[in-house]
Structure formats: C-alpha cells, structure tokens
Amino acid sequence: MREVKGFNMTQTINVVDAMCGAGKTSWAIQHINENIGQNKKLAFGDSGEPLKYIYVTPFLKEVERIQQATDIDFFEPEAKGTKIKSFEALITLGKSVATTHELFKKLDLNILDAIEEKGYTLIMDEVASVLEQYDISKSDIKLLIDNGTIEIGENDKVVWLDDDYKGKFSDMKILAESDNLILQNGIAVFWTMNTRAFEAFDEVYVLTYMFDGQEQCNYYMANDIKFKKYSVKDSDNHYELIDYDPTLEPRKEVYEKLNIYLDDDTNKKKSPLNSNYDCREKLNEQQRKSKLSSSWFRKTATPKDLKQLNNNLRNYFRSVEPTENEYIFWTTISDFAPTLKNAKCKWNKNGDRASDNFVALNARATNAYGHCTSMAYVYNRFVNPIEKNFFSEYGIKVDEDKLAVSDLIQFLFRGCIRNGEEMNCYIPAERMRTLLKRWANFEI
C-alpha cells in the first residue's frame, strides 16, 4: 500500500451535499452577502482584513451569475496575456475572484502560497477534476528515465531533472515541477491536484451531491484530508447548513416524475429498445451487467449493434415519446456520438453544443437544458480500472455504484426534472436503471 504522508491542514473541508435545486448555490450567495463587512478572524482576535473569496464553478456563465448575485466585487481573470497571470495579479491585490474549474487546476505553488498569505475562503461549486491520466506511453516513460530527464522519487512522484528540456513533453515538465505527477505501477502517469490547493485556504466549501461517490472524495481519503458533510435547510428562502441527513431528500417524489422507458407491458409502444441492441445470445450475468460500458462500446459492440442503438434513439424520440429536437438532450461516450447521432439526436463535430442537443456525460452546474422534457443516457458508468488501481494503492475502495448513480442523477437534473416537472427518460443500460431505483428507495 502506498504511504500517505501527514497532511498539514488544521481545518476540515465543508462539503455541502444536497440534491440539485436544494439551494446550495443560494446558500453560498447568502453566506457571502451576510458576511459583508466582516473581518477575517484569527486565533488572537480580529485581523482587520475583510473576508476574501475565490468562487470556482464549471462554466463562465455561472461566474457571471455569482458576480451579479453577490454584493461584493468579484473579479474575473482577464484573457490579456494569460488568465493565470491575471489571476495571480488579482490575488496579489487581495481581490475576491470568480473563476472556472479549468483555471483553478492550473494554480501553481507560488499562487497557492500567495492565497495562503492573503487569507481566502474557497467556495467550489461542484467537485474538481483532481485526477487525470497523462497521455504517455510506457516506452516513452522508460526513455525519459533512461535519458536522465526524469526520475521517480518518494511515493512514486515524477521528478524532472533536465531544467533546459524543450520538446514533446514540455507540458509534462511543468506538471512535474508543480509536484503533481505520479507514476502508477511503472506503466501510467497521473496528474493529481496538489493538496496545497485546499490547504492554502482559511475555509473550504464544496457544493455537490452524493459526494461519497465522487473522485474528489476518494482523493481526500487518499491524502488523509478530513471533511464533514452538510445538508441545506430552506426556510422561506433563507438557507441554513445542517448536519447531513439524506432522508430529507425528496428522492421518491423525483423518481415518480421520471417516465422511464421499460421493455414490458407498461411500455405503451411495446418496442424492446432496452434489449435489442446486443446481438450476442445467452449472456451471463456479468455480460448483461456490463452492456453499454466503455469496454462494451470499444471491444464488444458490432456495427449492427451500434446501428440498432442509433435506430432505438430515433424511434424513442419519434414514436415512443414524440419530442421536438429543441426539447431533447442526450449523451453517450463522446467517441461514439458521431455513430449514434441521427435526425433526433444531434451532434456537432466541431464541438459547438449550441447547434446540437448533445450534452457531455460529466455535465454539471448548467441550467441550459432546464426546458428539455425528454432525455437519453446511453452509457453504463464504471471506474477506469487504472484509476481504480491508483486509489487501491492508498487502501481506498472505489464505490462504483455510487459513482455511477451520482453521475446519472447529475445528468438527469440538467433537464426539466430540476424544475419539478415530469421528464421522459430512455436509459437502456439495465444496471443504470436498477441503481436509479435503488437510489430512490434510499438503498444507495
């Protein structure tokens, strides 16, 4: 088992774990506005310094929302020069900053030291990307080691030795110099968010749902970072954090408003769209469980299977639940979206999501599809085996079912269900439908 070094954080991360629409962001805005004029507290008294915030959210539009909804001046890093330099300048001036997850994960140790010196509170809307596999082959890893460009240090950290290096792996050099790269079993390199990204703040709030199933939760446990979960209580539009209690969530009410397609007598069209896309015969339990997983798409599915899935999507939105394209949102593995796109399920090859109705599997914190009344989730979520092994070396067992249903619920809440309206759902993976039902019954 990989050794976990002692972590220097004295405070506990506050995880606001509540369903979409429960008021997490509203609480954060209220919290900021109610503390205007308050000074940072020190162990020996008042610092005389006003509270400062860094608010991190997935999308630029949400940055604008925070700027408009709060009564303090939130500054957004400018694109002149580089945004990271602009961010650093704002921190030096002691300004409150609203930015995106993408920029936040690029903060280097110098900026994090400046954040600690100035004294900031971090509010992170939705979990961060804290672990990513770096794209490098095993042979290239060996070449860099043999050439003396890198060495593998304590706890398998990648240490960059060649200060003058310029070449194919210059970006890897930057990551290694930020103490962010780890070699996994000699075959894979992972970028991990530096724990200083949380240690540097006076207080940290993470706003999310089903945190226990998230990668960031595993990351905290692997690094011995303590956290405490809270629910949100809404009392006539005044929001309060209370001890975490999932039984307060209206799971059954939400589930009853999901019109989930089934291959049985309750299916008014009696079309087998959940079972006709795999041409194999006599599947065992494991094979049935893994249908529509990444492995199924890449190794098992035949062109005939994928064509059938394409037909199923078109038939569902045309015949089973007739829906105009502007009220549809759908997803699958991005590599297979071009194969599954059709007259109802649009996909723009240039990544222009405004011109199609495709939504990324990991979409969070966007209200852009709140008008959509029908959806399709053509995927069966499992953890990447290499990532699973990464956490297992820290003694962390990844809960794949919690991760899967968490991602599915996040996706569902992009649509009109977030407004309390009924929504049509095509979820062809049996495992995903089962997990969703178990979630509704508080079994997960």
Side-chain angles (χ1 to χ4, degrees), residues 160-413:
W160 203 272
L161 302 176
D162 186 354
D163 293 336
D164 299 322
Y165 178 87
K166 292 181 180 179
K168 179 180 178 181
F169 299 107
S170 293
D171 58 337
M172 182 179 174
K173 176 177 182 286
I174 294 171
L175 295 174
E177 289 175 341
S178 295
D179 202 27
N180 284 3
L181 289 185
I182 294 175
L183 181 65
Q184 169 74 14
N185 291 333
I187 60 171
V189 172
F190 280 96
W191 169 86
T192 62
M193 183 172 284
N194 196 301
T195 51
R196 286 280 293 147
F198 300 99
E199 179 192 9
F201 291 89
D202 292 346
E203 283 190 296
V204 177
Y205 295 91
V206 178
L207 317 180
T208 188
Y209 182 51
M210 296 193 73
F211 183 68
D212 290 353
Q214 303 294 333
E215 189 177 77
Q216 190 166 332
C217 179
N218 297 324
Y219 163 89
Y220 281 173
M221 291 190 292
N223 288 284
D224 197 27
I225 300 175
K226 296 178 176 60
F227 61 90
K228 182 179 180 181
K229 297 196 298 180
Y230 296 89
S231 295
V232 178
K233 181 180 179 181
D234 179 0
S235 301
D236 296 325
N237 293 323
H238 185 273
Y239 301 92
E240 178 186 356
L241 296 189
I242 61 175
D243 288 341
Y244 179 66
D245 185 358
T247 64
L248 299 175
E249 299 168 5
R251 296 187 183 187
K252 291 187 177 181
E253 292 87 337
V254 169
Y255 187 76
E256 288 171 358
K257 290 183 178 179
L258 299 176
N259 177 25
I260 301 171
Y261 170 90
L262 299 173
D263 282 354
D264 58 25
D265 291 339
T266 65
N267 166 18
K268 58 188 176 184
K269 299 296 181 180
K270 295 188 172 58
S271 50
L273 305 186
N274 286 336
S275 54
N276 65 356
Y277 56 83
D278 192 319
C279 62
R280 294 175 295 174
E281 297 181 2
K282 298 180 180 180
L283 303 184
N284 60 38
E285 183 179 351
Q286 181 58 37
Q287 289 172 327
R288 287 196 303 273
K289 181 181 178 181
S290 63
K291 285 199 301 183
L292 295 180
S293 64
S294 295
S295 178
W296 183 89
F297 272 104
R298 302 184 193 285
K299 298 178 181 179
T300 303
T302 66
K304 182 179 178 180
D305 293 335
L306 297 176
K307 183 178 180 180
Q308 186 62 61
L309 265 180
N310 184 306
N311 291 338
N312 288 353
L313 285 163
R314 184 173 60 252
N315 290 342
Y316 178 76
F317 292 120
R318 272 187 174 170
S319 302
V320 179
E321 298 296 345
T323 310
E324 296 296 324
N325 289 6
E326 64 182 302
Y327 297 105
I328 295 169
F329 69 113
W330 73 289
T331 196
T332 189
I333 303 176
S334 58
D335 290 351
F336 288 85
T339 305
L340 299 185
K341 70 174 183 177
N342 54 52
K344 303 301 293 181
C345 297
K346 301 294 187 178
W347 180 80
N348 180 274
K349 66 180 180 180
N350 296 320
D352 181 8
R353 300 284 79 91
S355 65
D356 61 23
N357 52 15
F358 180 83
V359 181
L361 281 165
N362 61 351
R364 295 171 182 269
T366 175
N367 304 328
Y369 304 91
H371 65 287
C372 293
T373 57
S374 297
M375 59 76 73
Y377 189 91
V378 190
Y379 187 50
N380 188 1
R381 177 75 157 101
F382 288 93
V383 180
N384 180 314
I386 298 178
E387 292 183 14
K388 193 174 180 179
N389 289 338
F390 177 90
F391 285 116
S392 70
E393 289 208 2
Y394 290 92
I396 307 301
K397 184 177 180 180
V398 177
D399 191 327
E400 294 192 273
D401 287 349
K402 279 186 179 179
L403 173 65
V405 76
S406 171
D407 281 2
L408 174 57
I409 291 165
Q410 286 282 0
F411 188 83
L412 288 168
F413 269 90

